Amino acid sequence: MINNEYLLAREFTSRIGQPIMLLILVLSISLAICATLPRLRKYSQAAAFSLVLLMASGWLVLIAFHYKISTSLVLVDPTGQLPSGRFMIPVWIENEKFFFWTLVLGVLVLIGKRRPVAYQSVLTMILAGFGILTFFTSNPFSAPLAQFHADLTNYAGVLASSPAPMAKAQAFYAIWGKMVGYYNSAYMWIHPPMLFIAYSTFVLAFVGNIFMLKDRKQDYERLAYAWAKPGFILLTIGLLIGYPWAVAAWAGEPWWYDPKINITLMMWLLYSAYLHARLYIHRRGMWVTTAILGYLGFLGVVITYLTTYVIPGIHSVAG
Amino acid sequence: MTKNLNYILILLTIFILVAIGVIFVYGSTYSWLQSLQSASWRQTVTYQNYVSDMNVAVLPLSVALVILLGLCVPKRIFSGMALLQSMAALLVVSIFVVLSFGLKPGIGFLLSTAVLIQAVVIGMTLVGSKRLSYEVNGFYLQIGSAILHLGLILFVFDFVLLSESPFHLLVYWVSTALIGIGMILSFYSGEISRLAQERGKRSG
């Protein structure tokens, strides 16, 4: 099952990816310095561009690894009842999630036109922070697809060591179920990227909300709204797409009021409240209310992301 | 008066949305604390009690949100005293249905009426009726808002009345499509309008 081609590809991905990650760290620190020191600010755009370029090349390496997985690994039913299958793994799972989020954020930081200098500086600082966090907490190259690899190794171990056909069949159906219902599912290809793109736009909206309250300028309010809009559309559709999948994938399991789902809905509710408050922004007290709802919505984004790793539940990896 | 009423309805909506959000935070914190005590707590009676308690806490606010959603619909067609009367009539009949037949049929009546009124609103918006009252101007913004609200009402309707029906997922996808289209039209009405005008100029 686990062949040399796959193992070599995994090792190559790790070997080529580590220097890329180190460069990402160096560039992120440089970007933070450029964005902080006014004298060096003129270099921050170039530093941000280099960082995004580097991350994009890292992502291409990951895509190549995933492609290799799909071509080199074949899952064969030991009982011969099911056709053989191949893994089509999306490039935003496990440690790749935060890497992908940082990459999307980087692209959004770059593509903006004629933004206020202070706003752009804060954005580049946040991007630098994301780059540093990616290196220390979500390096996708240190052990590429660690959980997938562990599942695969366990399965190969059972095939090699257990003489009982029943045990082999059980192990096969476990990994087959994960392949069909998780790795290869259309849901995994659509839902996570929609949410990560939404989260990235919410970062830009959040920075707008900060300046909106600090400087009390309509331009910042418009900027925040301009980025909250696509984020809210993607978040809503992404969440709606998740429901039919959840019904099928978690049938018979208790998932109602799961912590991650609760917090995600809280985030959606806060952004809905933000968009409603905006309708009457010129009424007394509504400017501050709108900005605060924007802050709370973004706090919801951060908590939603962290919940996956901290609070155990059906939609989490914690515990 | 209509302007103030709209404002009050929006404030109430914001309050309810935030309140439900706070309950969800409480629920997640409670789940977390329980899972620290016992990893398999979701297989225990405590989990069943937690779900019941959450339902008890969320239900009144969800019902209030549904009522607000239902009441927001007539404001497009009526104004002034007629609006208040139509809202009061809708509320009174819904309460009557709740008392006579239960909560689900009552909410179902309110939502069905809202779906019908919203469909009329969309029709009137499409033919450019001057009788409609919106907080916002522009055809795409108005039709987008109307479609979005129809999608939301249909979404709630689907969960309240059709959750066990074979049509549940079908209606779910229809409401998802309406919500998506409505959001795009209302959030990007300016851009869509400009595109339509440019196309019109080019072709004519």
Side-chain angles (χ1 to χ4, degrees):
Chain A
M1 159 89 229
I2 300 182
N3 54 36
N4 265 347
E5 211 180 331
Y6 161 73
L7 290 173
L8 282 173
R10 189 166 186 266
E11 199 193 319
F12 175 77
T13 304
S14 181
R15 206 153 7 104
I16 201 166
Q18 293 295 8
I20 291 178
M21 284 308 293
L22 203 63
L23 275 173
I24 284 173
L25 177 67
V26 172
L27 267 174
S28 300
I29 294 169
S30 314
L31 182 61
I33 295 168
C34 289
T36 316
L37 300 176
R39 243 172 359 128
L40 298 175
R41 206 162 278 169
K42 58 185 171 196
Y43 301 112
S44 60
Q45 196 70 1
F49 183 75
S50 313
L51 177 63
V52 172
L53 206 64
L54 203 59
M55 292 205 75
S57 26
W59 203 51
L60 283 177
V61 173
L62 290 173
I63 290 173
F65 174 50
H66 285 237
Y67 176 72
K68 202 76 191 163
I69 290 173
S70 72
T71 56
S72 62
L73 294 179
V74 184
L75 198 58
V76 182
D77 183 0
T79 63
Q81 286 177 1
L82 287 171
S84 55
R86 288 178 187 275
F87 291 94
M88 308 290 282
I89 305 175
V91 201
W92 34 74
I93 63 163
E94 298 191 22
N95 274 2
E96 296 160 354
K97 275 189 240 177
F98 198 74
F99 188 93
F100 179 70
W101 185 2
T102 308
L103 175 62
V104 174
L105 178 65
V107 172
L108 295 185
V109 167
L110 284 180
I111 59 168
K113 50 181 180 185
R114 279 181 283 136
R115 287 176 183 151
V117 176
Y119 175 85
Q120 188 67 14
S121 290
V122 174
L123 272 187
T124 44
M125 264 188 249
I126 290 177
L127 176 62
F130 265 71
I132 294 167
L133 274 176
T134 307
F135 181 85
F136 287 110
T137 66
S138 283
N139 182 344
F141 299 104
S142 60
L145 297 181
Q147 185 56 52
F148 168 76
H149 186 70
D151 288 345
L152 215 59
T153 313
N154 284 342
Y155 175 61
V158 173
L159 282 192
S161 65
S162 175
M166 191 66 179
K168 284 182 184 175
Q170 264 180 351
F172 169 79
Y173 282 110
I175 199 164
W176 174 270
K178 214 168 171 183
M179 181 181 79
V180 175
Y182 179 70
Y183 293 122
N184 291 13
S185 78
Y187 158 84
M188 277 308 291
W189 282 89
I190 301 167
H191 171 86
M194 282 181 102
L195 296 196
F196 283 115
I197 297 169
Y199 293 175
S200 303
T201 66
F202 287 146
V203 173
L204 277 81
F206 170 64
V207 179
N209 285 137
I210 292 176
F211 282 100
M212 170 191 168
L213 211 52
K214 186 178 158 279
D215 292 2
R216 303 254 166 181
K217 281 186 186 160
Q218 186 84 59
D219 287 355
Y220 285 119
E221 194 282 317
R222 285 206 194 106
L223 203 52
Y225 176 58
W227 285 107
K229 281 189 298 185
F232 190 71
I233 293 174
L234 289 168
L235 176 69
T236 309
I237 305 293
L239 292 180
L240 288 170
I241 284 172
Y243 170 74
W245 181 87
V247 170
W250 298 332
E253 287 190 68
W255 63 276
W256 216 234
Y257 297 122
D258 173 83
K260 170 83 186 271
I261 294 166
N262 283 347
I263 292 291
T264 312
L265 288 175
M266 184 246 342
M267 169 179 59
W268 185 87
L269 290 163
L270 287 171
Y271 274 110
S272 299
Y274 161 80
L275 292 170
H276 278 87
R278 238 200 118 254
L279 288 172
Y280 287 93
I281 198 151
H282 296 300
R283 290 256 186 162
R284 196 184 158 89
M286 291 306 275
W287 184 273
V288 177
T289 307
T290 306
I292 289 174
L293 286 169
Y295 295 165
L296 291 176
F298 186 68
L299 185 68
V301 173
V302 177
I303 298 174
T304 301
Y305 184 77
L306 292 178
T307 299
T308 311
Y309 300 97
V310 178
I311 307 181
I314 200 159
H315 202 317
S316 303
V317 291
Chain B
M1 191 188 77
T2 310
K3 202 82 182 162
N4 272 334
L5 184 66
N6 284 342
Y7 180 54
I8 292 165
L9 289 174
I10 291 283
L11 284 183
L12 278 171
T13 307
I14 293 168
F15 173 77
I16 293 171
L17 290 171
V18 174
I20 299 174
V22 170
I23 293 171
F24 282 144
V25 175
Y26 163 77
S28 294
T29 313
Y30 180 82
S31 296
W32 190 11
L33 294 176
Q34 287 301 319
S35 60
L36 289 176
Q37 285 176 16
S38 161
S40 57
W41 84 280
R42 285 189 301 135
Q43 275 75 44
T44 65
V45 181
T46 317
Y47 175 76
Q48 301 298 333
N49 292 338
Y50 158 70
V51 172
S52 308
D53 291 347
M54 284 294 283
N55 278 336
V56 168
V58 171
L59 189 71
L61 290 166
S62 306
V63 171
L65 203 59
V66 169
I67 291 171
L68 272 179
L69 201 62
L71 291 182
C72 277
V73 175
K75 74 183 182 185
R76 303 273 179 249
I77 302 177
F78 304 109
S79 62
M81 210 53 190
L83 173 63
L84 285 179
Q85 282 168 349
S86 64
M87 279 178 160
L90 192 57
L91 204 58
V92 166
V93 178
S94 300
I95 291 169
F96 174 76
V97 178
V98 170
L99 294 174
S100 310
F101 304 100
L103 184 66
K104 221 171 165 177
I107 297 282
F109 167 78
L110 181 67
L111 289 167
S112 310
T113 314
V115 167
L116 285 176
I117 299 175
Q118 196 63 18
V120 172
V121 168
I122 290 176
M124 287 171 76
T125 310
L126 283 172
V127 296
S129 168
K130 301 280 179 226
R131 279 204 58 188
L132 293 172
S133 127
Y134 280 95
E135 288 101 86
V136 288
N137 294 319
F139 171 75
Y140 291 105
L141 191 50
Q142 291 176 346
I143 194 75
S145 166
I147 291 173
L148 170 59
H149 281 87
L150 178 65
L152 286 170
I153 298 164
L154 206 60
F155 177 83
V156 182
F157 180 88
D158 185 36
F159 274 88
V160 173
L161 293 178
L162 302 175
S163 57
E164 307 294 324
S165 154
F167 297 108
H168 172 54
L169 273 184
L170 177 72
V171 177
Y172 180 86
W173 285 120
V174 171
S175 68
T176 298
L178 289 173
I179 290 170
I181 293 166
M183 276 197 294
I184 291 167
L185 284 174
S186 46
F187 286 165
Y188 294 100
S189 57
E191 288 81 350
I192 295 169
S193 177
R194 260 196 305 279
L195 271 175
Q197 277 174 359
E198 277 170 24
R199 267 193 146 188
K201 271 183 200 165
R202 246 181 274 148
S203 61

